[in-house]
Amino acid sequence: MKKPYLTIKENGEATIEIKKSEFICSLARTETEEEARAFIDEIKTKHRKATHNCFAYMIGLNDEIQRESDNGEPSGTAGVPILEVLKNLELHNVTAVVTRYFGGIKLGAGGLIRAYSNATSNAIEHVGVVRKVVQTELSLKVSYSAWGKLQNYLENNQVNVSDTVFMTDVTAVVYVDTPEVESFTATIIDLMNGQVEVEEGQEKYVEVPYELYK
């Protein structure tokens, strides 16, 4: 059964500077390990002159695959902090690569951990997060005379309407959170006094805004 999960809103990057070292965190949605590796290679090629290209990724809705690399930084000071940010924010199917251009001032183990962690969380906040929820398609067919009543209900309750078809009747194609399909259908039938045809369609993931820091 499909389940809701959090992921980044879009691919992107953000940069922070700490004691003259530049930390660039690049983020991408990746649904397979092959996609994650390809993205890491892309960033390594782009920043081939960088001192380090450290990374971490989480693949699978149950985090089946978790990988990290310090890429030359002291053990445990880069890859693990990046991975921990992804885990703590409960993000799935995300790869983060933090590129470091060394500025000449050593940060020490604690400073490196904070730098890689902050670079990652800063980039995630910059690109944003979405919640992917499972919704089911429903087709609601009513007469033209009843359409105004149904339309008002859908608009007032912010129901996700993907299409409206005007033929001999009016059909509104909506998406409803799958666990709420039964109660939503009952509400619509009651609202329209039974003068509505409801046809259930496919499930799909739909992205909804998510506020990371509430």
Side-chain angles (χ1 to χ4, degrees):
M1 180 180 176
K2 294 178 180 178
K3 64 179 184 180
Y5 67 94
L6 299 178
T7 191
I8 55 174
K9 183 178 180 180
E10 59 189 1
N11 295 2
E13 66 175 38
T15 303
I16 61 173
E17 185 176 309
I18 300 174
K19 293 185 178 180
K20 298 185 179 180
S21 279
E22 188 177 30
F23 293 85
I24 307 166
C25 180
S26 303
L27 298 166
R29 287 189 184 183
T30 49
E31 296 190 354
T32 66
E33 192 159 22
E34 290 73 20
E35 290 179 2
R37 288 289 179 181
F39 178 67
I40 293 165
D41 289 342
E42 176 187 330
I43 298 302
K44 284 183 174 181
T45 299
K46 179 180 177 181
H47 294 289
R48 62 173 63 89
K49 294 183 179 180
T51 317
H52 305 281
N53 284 290
C54 309
F55 66 81
Y57 54 84
M58 304 271 285
I59 305 296
L61 300 192
N62 295 308
D63 305 328
E64 293 88 346
I65 301 174
Q66 303 179 30
R67 301 281 187 270
E68 50 82 17
S69 170
D70 296 312
N71 192 232
E73 291 282 31
S75 179
T77 63
V80 170
I82 299 169
L83 184 64
E84 284 301 308
V85 172
L86 300 181
K87 291 169 70 173
N88 289 339
L89 296 178
E90 300 181 346
L91 299 181
H92 301 273
N93 294 340
V94 174
T95 298
V97 183
V98 180
T99 301
R100 183 189 184 190
Y101 286 92
F102 183 52
I105 301 174
K106 293 185 177 181
L107 302 181
L112 286 173
I113 291 171
R114 287 190 296 274
Y116 280 98
S117 177
N118 290 341
T120 306
S121 58
N122 176 67
I124 292 168
E125 186 174 7
H126 174 72
V127 302
V129 170
V130 292
R131 182 174 176 82
K132 299 195 74 168
V133 299
V134 185
Q135 294 191 332
T136 297
E137 181 186 271
L138 295 175
S139 294
L140 312 176
K141 182 187 289 187
V142 296
S143 65
Y144 274 84
S145 60
W147 168 236
K149 186 176 183 180
L150 178 61
Q151 183 181 30
N152 286 337
Y153 177 85
L154 298 177
E155 290 178 354
N156 291 337
N157 289 274
Q158 299 180 322
V159 178
N160 179 8
V161 181
S162 67
D163 195 14
T164 306
V165 181
F166 296 92
M167 301 289 283
T168 53
D169 295 292
V170 183
T171 301
V173 181
V174 304
Y175 280 92
V176 177
D177 289 357
T178 297
E180 299 174 8
V181 166
E182 188 174 338
S183 61
F184 176 83
T185 300
T187 298
I188 291 297
I189 292 174
D190 182 60
L191 173 75
M192 306 308 296
N193 298 315
Q195 303 304 303
V196 57
E197 293 181 26
V198 182
E199 184 177 336
E200 190 171 319
Q202 301 267 326
E203 283 185 346
K204 75 170 186 177
Y205 275 112
V206 176
E207 296 180 8
V208 297
Y210 184 83
E211 189 176 346
L212 190 58
Y213 300 104
K214 297 180 179 178

